[in-house]
Amino acid sequence: MTPDFSSLHNRNETAVFEAIGELAPRYPAIGHDPGLLADVACVALNRLPPRYIRHTVDFSFYQSDRERVEHAREVRAAVRHAFEFVQARELMGARS
C-alpha cells in the first residue's frame, strides 16, 4: 500500500504567495515578471523554516494570536528581503 501524501503542504507557501501579491506593486522593476516572482517566492521560502501540515484549520487551532502575528511578520520580512535580493540581482545583471 502506498501512502497518499497529497494532503501535506508547507503552510508558509500560501502566506508567502499572498505577501508577494501584496508587495509586488512596490517593486515595479520586477513585480510584473512571473519568472522573477517565482524567484522571490523561492528566496522567501528558503528563509523561513518549513511548517508542514495536513489541514490549515488544525494548525490555526493550535496557534496563539501572538504566534499568528509573529508568523505574519516573519513572512513579510522574508518576502521583502527576497524582493530586494532579486531586484538587486536583476540590476547587477543589467549592468554586466
Side-chain angles (χ1 to χ4, degrees):
M1 180 170 109
T2 303
D4 178 11
F5 296 115
S6 64
S7 65
L8 301 177
H9 63 279
N10 180 350
R11 78 177 278 263
N12 287 327
E13 290 174 357
T14 301
V16 164
F17 301 158
E18 289 172 358
I20 288 171
E22 292 169 15
L23 295 174
R26 297 181 186 178
Y27 298 90
I30 63 172
H32 300 291
D33 183 320
L36 294 177
L37 292 177
D39 289 348
V40 168
C42 288
V43 171
L45 286 166
N46 283 325
R47 290 184 63 83
L48 295 166
R51 297 286 184 243
Y52 286 95
I53 59 173
R54 287 187 63 207
H55 307 287
T56 303
V57 69
D58 292 343
F59 191 79
S60 296
F61 178 75
Y62 290 106
Q63 267 193 318
S64 69
D65 287 340
R66 184 188 61 77
E67 290 170 323
R68 276 190 282 283
V69 168
E70 180 63 18
H71 178 256
R73 188 198 62 74
E74 290 170 355
V75 166
R76 287 186 69 83
V79 170
R80 279 192 305 273
H81 167 83
F83 267 111
E84 296 294 330
F85 178 85
V86 172
Q87 182 171 264
R89 184 192 70 193
E90 286 302 301
L91 288 173
M92 294 301 290
R95 291 182 184 158
S96 300

